[in-house]
Amino acid sequence: MNERWFLFYDGACPLCVKTQNKIHNLIPNVKITVVDLNGQIAKQKGYSCKQVVLETPNNIFYGIDAWVHILSNTRYKMITYSVFKPILFLIYWFISKNRKLISKIVK
């Protein structure tokens, strides 16, 4: 049975848009609906563009925890092991703070 997840991302960020477009191929057994954090639904839920949000049937994940949950359901799950989480946090923090600049560099 396919689960349905909702991924809220910054639709005004080219890097974020590019990233969310690739997620569908990572987890074929999950239906992921992407929602712009700048839209009305996200605002009604109180979400902001400061971090990605992942809603699953049983949980809501924010920021790096959202990405860890996504990656833990893919062939890349090894990098989500607890020993790597501090490194993933630093990478996520750097990218989230510099995503507009990174978007200009990586096209």
Side-chain angles (χ1 to χ4, degrees):
M1 181 168 78
N2 288 352
E3 281 190 1
R4 182 175 206 144
W5 296 356
F6 294 89
L7 178 66
F8 293 81
Y9 72 102
D10 183 359
C13 166
L15 179 64
C16 303
V17 171
K18 192 173 187 177
T19 302
Q20 68 83 20
N21 284 334
K22 301 218 180 260
I23 288 178
H24 296 285
N25 298 329
L26 289 177
I27 313 174
N29 60 335
V30 175
K31 169 80 171 130
I32 300 176
T33 301
V34 291
V35 184
D36 190 343
L37 281 166
N38 299 296
Q40 194 62 30
I41 296 171
K43 288 178 185 171
Q44 289 173 347
K45 291 179 174 273
Y47 299 155
S48 75
C49 289
K50 292 183 180 179
Q51 61 184 350
V52 67
V53 180
L54 178 68
E55 292 182 354
T56 67
N58 300 317
N59 289 304
I60 299 175
F61 300 93
Y62 299 90
I64 187 60
D65 292 326
W67 288 114
V68 166
H69 187 74
I70 290 169
L71 291 172
S72 69
N73 286 278
T74 70
R75 64 180 179 218
Y76 305 108
K77 66 182 166 188
M78 188 175 76
I79 66 170
T80 66
Y81 295 161
S82 60
V83 69
F84 297 116
K85 196 166 180 183
I87 297 167
L88 289 174
F89 175 81
L90 289 173
I91 293 169
Y92 177 82
W93 177 84
F94 178 80
I95 291 172
S96 67
K97 298 295 180 201
N98 299 289
R99 66 184 185 270
K100 306 279 184 187
L101 176 65
I102 294 169
S103 293
K104 293 177 182 176
I105 296 170
V106 179
K107 294 187 179 187

